[in-house]
Amino acid sequence: MGNRAGRSDFEWVYTDQPHTQRRKEMLAKYPAIKALMRPDPHLKWTVLGMVLAQLLACWLVRGLAWRWLLFWAYAFGGCVNHSLTLAIHDISHNAAFGTGRAARNRWFAVFANLPVGVPYAASFKKYHVDHHRYLGGDGLDVDVPTRLEGWLFCTPARKLLWLVLQPFFYSLRPLCVNPKALTRMEVFNALVQLAADAALFALWGLKPVAYLLASTLLGLGLHPISGHFVAEHYMFLKGHETYSYYGPLNWITFNVGYHMEHHDFPSIPGCNLPLVRKIAPEYYDHLPQHHSWVKVLWDFVFEDSLGPYARVKRVCKLAEERL
């Protein structure tokens, strides 16, 4: 358990990310793909149901013993809250109401954020655009771990701890790698979230609030669904920086496993990503793919070649800021 991981630096490349060129080629060959760039008509209703489910769970856990509260926070709440963060991901791409109603998408993301317990949606959107525009970009893509993470979390035991602490690294890393000015939407997100948490505490006490926070921390930490964090872009095979997963957990994660397809077409909602692969199978079927997010986590911990350093990085030229 004390052996150090084999990598001592990131995988530096001097080429552009592959998705831009793939997108051009595929749209030229299959213009029908453009028809998939439309809002998901079911997303808002699914999110509403999940928020209400967590509200009901908050009422049910009021009298639970702490050990059972933590059990249900991991087994049920962790799945729901993690799924809600992935709904927020889709909403950040305007999948709920379309690009013509961007403000509605932002407000709805704040609503979807409520069971998460901490403000997340507005900050996520602010940084996620850079993840697509500057995939692996040094100092720009905050999805890539820091050098400190790569140096420190280099043994199986430390990598396991790193997976447990994923919610904290994803929250704090942007402040270190690419700090940005606070926006009004982030302030609004924080105020709404604090008001919701305070109201929940006033109505039903501490345990419902603790349940929601535990659901987020446990569900985004060492949890089967969290395998997608590692599966998406960690370099399991040299020369490949984005991977898809086509297994059953896509059913509860808004098809986030279709990640190659998502980066090829970020404006296509998760519900339509399987159709992209169906239309253009020759662009996907030959690529390496994951079959189990649990195995992804296992391999990440125990394979010496994997760790926070197992990411492709590049120096990107800053794109012109768009209004």
Side-chain angles (χ1 to χ4, degrees), residues 116-128:
V116 177
V118 293
Y120 164 83
S123 298
F124 175 81
K125 180 174 176 62
K126 183 172 71 173
Y127 283 101
H128 189 62

Side-chain angles (χ1 to χ4, degrees), residues 6 8 52 62 67 99 107 161 171 185 203 252 272 304 321:
S8 59
L52 293 177
R62 292 171 303 155
R67 64 181 181 275
T99 55
W107 298 333
L161 177 63
S171 300
M185 198 64 198
L203 282 171
I252 59 171
N272 287 338
D304 287 345
E321 287 297 324

Side-chain angles (χ1 to χ4, degrees), residues 286-307:
H286 69 287
L287 296 175
Q289 58 187 253
H290 295 292
H291 302 284
S292 166
W293 281 341
V294 173
K295 186 177 187 301
V296 163
L297 294 173
W298 178 275
D299 290 345
F300 181 83
V301 170
F302 293 107
E303 290 287 338
D304 287 345
S305 61
L306 295 171

Side-chain angles (χ1 to χ4, degrees), residues 56-88:
L56 175 61
C58 285
W59 182 79
L60 292 172
V61 302
R62 292 171 303 155
L64 275 187
W66 283 103
R67 64 181 181 275
W68 285 109
L69 184 148
L70 293 175
F71 170 80
W72 286 112
Y74 185 87
F76 177 75
C79 296
V80 177
N81 276 14
H82 199 137
S83 186
L84 279 170
T85 66
L86 297 173
I88 291 170

Side-chain angles (χ1 to χ4, degrees), residues 73-149:
Y74 185 87
F76 177 75
C79 296
V80 177
N81 276 14
H82 199 137
S83 186
L84 279 170
T85 66
L86 297 173
I88 291 170
H89 165 261
D90 254 22
I91 297 166
S92 76
H93 289 285
N94 298 313
F97 298 99
T99 55
R101 296 176 175 176
R104 290 190 183 183
N105 285 287
R106 290 196 294 270
W107 298 333
F108 188 62
V110 172
F111 172 75
N113 195 149
L114 293 178
V116 177
V118 293
Y120 164 83
S123 298
F124 175 81
K125 180 174 176 62
K126 183 172 71 173
Y127 283 101
H128 189 62
V129 64
D130 288 342
H131 173 59
H132 281 275
R133 191 181 297 174
Y134 310 115
L135 181 63
D138 186 34
L140 295 170
D141 183 1
V142 298
D143 188 66
V144 179
T146 61
R147 284 191 175 275
L148 177 61
E149 291 171 76

Side-chain angles (χ1 to χ4, degrees), residues 171-220:
S171 300
L172 299 175
R173 191 184 299 141
L175 304 179
C176 302
V177 174
N178 187 18
K180 296 184 178 185
L182 192 69
T183 66
R184 291 181 180 179
M185 198 64 198
E186 286 177 293
V187 174
F188 174 71
N189 190 178
L191 291 176
V192 170
Q193 190 64 55
L194 287 172
D197 292 347
L200 197 60
F201 177 77
L203 282 171
W204 295 331
L206 176 62
K207 284 187 175 179
V209 179
Y211 163 77
L212 292 181
L213 293 174
S215 296
T216 297
L217 293 176
L218 296 174
L220 296 175

Side-chain angles (χ1 to χ4, degrees), residues 19-56:
H19 300 285
T20 305
Q21 184 59 35
R22 285 170 55 87
R23 185 181 308 123
K24 292 178 181 177
E25 290 180 10
M26 293 175 69
L27 286 175
K29 187 173 182 180
Y30 299 107
I33 290 177
K34 290 183 180 179
L36 302 178
M37 300 175 185
R38 59 180 186 266
D40 178 353
H42 305 295
L43 180 58
K44 52 185 174 292
W45 305 114
T46 303
V47 168
L48 175 61
M50 294 167 70
V51 171
L52 293 177
Q54 281 294 69
L55 183 62
L56 175 61

